[in-house]
Amino acid sequence: MTRVAICLPDYGFDPTEAAIPFEYLTNKGWDIEIITQDGKEPQCDQRMISGMLSTVMGAKQPAKAAYQLLSSSASFKNPKAWTAAGFSLLDYDVLILPGGHDKGVKQIIENESLRVHLAKFFPLTKDVSDDLNRKKKVCGAIWHVFLPILERISHH
């Protein structure tokens, strides 16, 4: 079974960018785990769900329904911690990095522990030619700010 890690900050992520991939891959039968810094249940940017901003650039009804599915899942309520001893993104086939507009998303961008995990994972998204017969990894960085981060760590 394909294993997927969705890394989220404690708060401020875009519910559409997290929930739509979660719903789609769940419907495909993939095993999805939510990963946060310390294993705390994350909170989306509530402005994308309700209020004035939501009418302009917020989540549309299908994304809100997908967010209900995501936020009620066991993995969302009890996420794994990327800072936990023994945790490795290499245990996953696919990594999804949703973004957001809230300052809470900086936790994903600036966290050194996560960068260490990304530096090990990201090179495996390229063709791997070795005797270990490793499977190529996939990274879906939905938010454009991740591109310079991923590019920088791919050269290490």
Side-chain angles (χ1 to χ4, degrees):
M1 175 178 290
T2 303
R3 297 190 68 214
V4 180
I6 300 178
C7 291
L8 297 174
D10 290 342
Y11 74 95
F13 63 90
D14 186 308
T16 300
E17 294 178 11
I20 295 298
F22 177 85
E23 179 184 49
Y24 180 82
L25 298 174
T26 297
N27 288 339
K28 294 288 183 189
W30 291 15
D31 179 27
I32 304 171
E33 293 184 354
I34 303 303
I35 316 296
T36 64
Q37 179 174 323
D38 297 313
K40 295 178 186 172
E41 182 176 342
Q43 300 296 317
C44 76
D45 183 346
Q46 291 298 311
R47 299 173 302 170
M48 300 292 112
I49 298 290
S50 62
M52 178 68 79
L53 189 59
S54 72
T55 60
V56 177
M57 58 187 284
K60 304 300 181 219
Q61 192 53 45
K64 289 179 182 181
Y67 183 69
Q68 286 299 319
L69 177 69
L70 168 63
S71 63
S72 65
S73 72
S75 180
F76 189 87
K77 294 194 174 297
N78 298 296
K80 291 195 172 186
W82 69 66
T83 55
F87 175 81
S88 176
L89 284 176
L90 300 181
D91 293 337
Y92 301 90
D93 305 300
V94 177
L95 170 62
I96 297 178
L97 298 167
H101 305 282
D102 193 276
K103 63 184 177 182
V105 176
K106 283 184 172 185
Q107 182 182 31
I108 295 280
I109 299 167
E110 297 173 352
N111 187 274
E112 186 60 33
S113 177
L114 183 57
R115 280 192 196 164
V116 169
H117 289 298
L118 291 172
K120 293 175 184 174
F121 185 92
F122 193 61
L124 299 178
T125 63
K126 299 175 182 175
D127 288 329
V128 180
S129 57
D130 60 22
D131 294 332
L132 299 177
N133 197 23
R134 291 184 286 183
K135 187 174 169 186
K136 187 174 177 180
K137 305 283 187 181
V138 175
C139 180
I142 300 169
W143 194 35
H144 68 279
V145 172
F146 289 116
L147 296 177
I149 295 169
L150 296 174
E151 180 66 22
R152 183 174 52 216
I153 64 174
S154 71
H155 294 295
H156 287 86

